């Protein structure tokens, strides 16, 4: 029997990981996965080695779905799927399944991810831009009265949180009876979510839910009748739902971690508690950004994200030094997206409040030395 004891005694210290994704995971989840990596209790093997149709994995999959349903108060009128291909494949799957011949879909463009989504939809059928803030550098999301919605649209697509710009819809737009389709990759379960407002919600797991390689898809069951038999089988929501996400081999280990993360969120108090913690973290950091003119927030205040906080230094030439010195002090991943520049602190559910305190302290100290 090989032993891991020799290496397990050395526990390297962890940095505060501000990465936009893949992102920080809850430490209890990592430790539980580490403990059970070699032998999953009762299975005599690791999760990675077990059949996706074994009783042990049946339980993991059912448990993950139950945890997601419990978190989002998701009723039986919705299917919960764990697919692959990331949010980016959903840019294609959503129109392929939901946009019928002769129909048109509305897209609200609030950033690069929305642009990528509409570009894929255009390859499938007719689309309209129902609103865009591109002219303002995507620093905010549109107001309801700025949207030009087609009441006959097949669906309306929005991006709930714009990871790159640090903007977030304060509330979902009213789209009437048209199904609302949401890319919620970077704020899913960051706050309570009224699933009944949506026809389809999708999210790559690697920001708020788990590791990369799993995409959570929540779809209202009546919409499954739109999936045509002519679609590639793997890209057909109705097939995926009928097969319980196991038409082929799913990302078994990823679903296992997602299950642990979802159960961690439930144990921490569910989405109300997540929202309260996220609001505290964001308020603390925005207050520091706004305290003097040394730092400047990138997003318009009314659209500020609780998940991704984007900011600049008034003297932009100091930004590289800021990021480098922060990294040396264990504050990792603060460089902004290449398209926006500046700095970005991503603080998803698993990001600890102590990390925000450490960043705020570093910001004060950096300002003292360079202001
Ligand atoms: C990260 C991200 C994506 C891309 O996700 P993949 O899983 O890498 O395809 C899409 N949309 C949003 C809003 C994101 O934050």
């Amino acid at each position: 029997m090989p032993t891991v004891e020799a290496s397990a005694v050395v526990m390297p210290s962890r940095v505060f990981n501000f990465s936009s994704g893949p992102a920080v995971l809850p430490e209890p989840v990592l430790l539980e996965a580490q403990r059970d990596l070699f032998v999953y209790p009762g299975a005599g093997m690791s999760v990675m080695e077990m059949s996706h149709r074994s009783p042990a994995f049946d339980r993991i999959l059912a448990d993950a779905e139950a945890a997601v349903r419990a978190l989002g108060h998701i009723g039986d009128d919705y299917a919960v799927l764990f697919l692959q291909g990331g949010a980016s494949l959903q840019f294609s799957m959503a129109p392929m399944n939901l946009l019928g011949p002769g129909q048109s879909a509305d897209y609200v463009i609030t950033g690069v991810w929305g642009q990528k989504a509409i570009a894929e939809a255009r390859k499938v059928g007719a689309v309209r831009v129902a609103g865009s803030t591109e002219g303002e550098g995507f620093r905010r999301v549109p107001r309801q009265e700025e949207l030009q919605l087609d009441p006959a649209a097949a669906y309306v697509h929005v991006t709930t949180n714009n990871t790159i710009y640090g903007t977030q819809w304060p509330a979902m737009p009213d789209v009437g009876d048209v199904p609302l389709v949401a890319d919620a990759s970077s704020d899913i379960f960051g706050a309570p979510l009224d699933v009944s407002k949506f026809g389809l919600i999708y999210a790559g797991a690697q920001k708020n839910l788990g590791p990369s390689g799993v995409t959570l898809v929540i779809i209202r069951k009546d919409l499954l009748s739109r999936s045509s038999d002519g679609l590639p089988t793997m890209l057909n929501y109705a097939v995926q739902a009928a097969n319980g996400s196991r038409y082929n081999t799913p990302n078994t280990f990823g679903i296992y971690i997602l299950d642990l993360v979802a159960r961690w969120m439930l144990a921490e108090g569910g989405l109300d508690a997540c929202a309260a913690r996220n609001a505290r973290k964001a308020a603390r950091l925005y207050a520091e950004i706004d305290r003097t003119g040394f730092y400047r927030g990138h997003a318009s205040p009314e659209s500020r994200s609780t998940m991704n906080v984007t900011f600049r230094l008034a003297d932009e030439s100091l930004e590289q030094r800021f990021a480098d010195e922060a990294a040396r002090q264990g504050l990792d991943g603060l460089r902004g997206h290449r398209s926006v520049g500046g700095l970005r602190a991503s603080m998803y559910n698993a990001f600890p409040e102590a990390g925000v305190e450490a960043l705020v302290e570093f910001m004060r100290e950096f300002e003292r030395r360079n202001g």
Side-chain angles (χ1 to χ4, degrees), residues 127-324:
V127 292
R128 282 176 72 245
V129 174
S132 170
T133 48
E134 185 175 8
E136 294 168 53
F138 296 127
R139 282 169 191 266
R140 65 178 182 91
V141 300
R143 291 180 289 275
Q144 178 79 37
E145 65 271 19
E146 294 175 303
L147 301 180
Q148 285 157 358
L149 297 166
D150 170 8
Y155 60 85
V156 182
H157 183 284
V158 297
T159 314
T160 56
N161 182 77
N162 297 281
T163 327
I164 294 171
Y165 315 88
T167 66
Q168 186 173 28
W169 291 79
M172 282 298 102
D174 180 1
V175 296
D177 292 331
V178 176
L180 184 59
V181 171
D183 174 359
S185 290
S186 52
D187 68 351
I188 181 110
F189 293 164
L193 178 69
D194 183 0
V195 170
S196 70
K197 287 210 174 96
F198 298 87
L200 166 68
I201 300 169
Y202 62 86
Q206 67 271 21
K207 284 148 190 162
N208 233 355
L209 296 176
S212 60
V214 188
T215 314
L216 175 65
V217 171
I218 303 167
I219 183 167
R220 214 173 62 212
K221 284 181 179 165
D222 63 288
L223 293 173
L224 295 173
S225 64
R226 293 196 193 179
S227 299
S228 133
D229 291 342
L231 289 173
T233 309
M234 281 293 292
L235 305 185
N236 185 316
Y237 288 134
V239 170
Q240 294 288 2
N243 287 276
S245 305
R246 284 188 288 190
Y247 178 80
N248 77 328
T249 317
N251 179 350
T252 51
F253 194 77
I255 292 168
Y256 159 69
I257 299 289
L258 185 148
D259 176 31
L260 296 184
V261 172
R263 287 198 279 124
W264 171 80
M265 286 188 222
L266 286 169
E268 290 284 299
L271 299 189
D272 287 320
C274 287
R277 238 185 359 260
N278 292 333
R280 271 200 307 273
K281 289 185 288 184
R284 183 88 175 92
L285 185 48
Y286 285 122
E288 182 58 24
I289 289 167
D290 294 340
R291 196 174 56 84
T292 67
F294 189 77
Y295 300 101
R296 287 187 289 114
H298 177 76
S300 299
E302 76 278 12
S303 294
R304 281 177 164 180
S305 169
T306 54
M307 302 271 96
N308 312 98
V309 175
T310 47
F311 60 104
R312 306 218 59 141
L313 271 65
D315 177 357
E316 292 178 10
S317 71
L318 289 172
E319 287 170 352
Q320 184 69 49
R321 188 193 301 171
F322 180 97
D324 291 346

Side-chain angles (χ1 to χ4, degrees), residues 10-53:
V10 184
M11 192 78 128
S13 65
R14 287 165 56 80
V15 297
F16 288 119
N17 178 8
F18 289 93
S19 167
S20 59
V24 60
L25 289 166
E27 291 191 353
V29 165
L30 295 174
L31 293 171
E32 181 173 340
Q34 181 190 49
R35 190 195 66 205
D36 294 344
L37 185 72
F38 194 60
V39 181
Y40 183 74
M45 64 182 82
S46 91
V47 173
M48 280 178 282
E49 299 165 294
M50 59 176 72
S51 164
H52 59 297
R53 306 200 189 275

Side-chain angles (χ1 to χ4, degrees), residues 77-107:
D77 45 341
Y78 285 81
V80 172
L81 307 176
F82 302 102
L83 306 184
Q84 300 188 52
S88 298
L89 186 59
Q90 296 308 308
F91 297 164
S92 300
M93 277 181 79
M96 288 171 88
N97 284 267
L98 302 180
L99 181 54
Q103 292 186 308
S104 162
D106 277 355
Y107 278 71

Side-chain angles (χ1 to χ4, degrees), residues 320-352:
Q320 184 69 49
R321 188 193 301 171
F322 180 97
D324 291 346
E325 287 184 15
R328 278 201 292 278
Q329 297 193 26
L331 305 168
D332 196 77
L334 286 165
R335 287 300 306 194
H337 189 272
R338 60 193 180 279
S339 65
V340 168
L343 300 150
R344 171 174 56 175
S346 297
M347 309 185 297
Y348 302 116
N349 281 341
F351 190 86

